[in-house]
Amino acid sequence: MKDRKLKPVEITDICQYRFPENLMYSPDGTYLAFQTAAADQKGTGYHRDIWVVKDGAPVQMTASLNSTAVLWADDETLLIRRSTED
């Protein structure tokens, strides 16, 4: 292996990373909903957005709302909660 200079991890590196969480299939299995979470540089928590996948195509349902998927009300209705701290 070549000698590589390792760069230290910085807070900005961590804040750019988004990870999936809270995966939920709709009752009939047609849709998959999940959240992406990213560290909030200005606060001490995470910012979350909701995505839904149907037939392999992901669609972002929220942006900058800091929302959480709660549950499927039926086969096509996803209930979400939005943080109102801001």
Side-chain angles (χ1 to χ4, degrees):
M1 257 184 128
K2 288 185 175 182
D3 289 333
R4 288 195 251 172
K5 253 187 174 177
L6 296 178
K7 177 187 161 210
V9 176
E10 297 183 18
I11 191 70
T12 54
D13 297 326
I14 295 169
C15 291
Q16 290 177 3
Y17 180 72
R18 295 186 177 278
F19 58 94
E21 61 182 16
N22 197 21
L23 284 75
M24 292 187 283
Y25 277 100
S26 60
D28 67 357
T30 302
Y31 298 95
L32 171 66
F34 64 95
Q35 299 164 192
T36 57
D40 181 3
Q41 273 187 281
K42 298 176 185 172
T44 58
Y46 291 88
H47 175 81
R48 291 175 171 83
D49 284 311
I50 308 295
W51 290 72
V52 174
V53 179
K54 181 180 180 187
D55 299 328
V59 176
Q60 186 171 355
M61 303 303 288
T62 64
S64 302
L65 289 179
N66 198 16
S67 43
T68 303
V70 178
L71 63 90
W72 286 95
D74 57 38
D75 291 338
E76 295 182 349
T77 306
L78 178 66
L79 300 179
I80 63 171
R81 180 180 65 222
R82 180 175 73 107
S83 173
T84 57
E85 293 175 11
D86 301 331

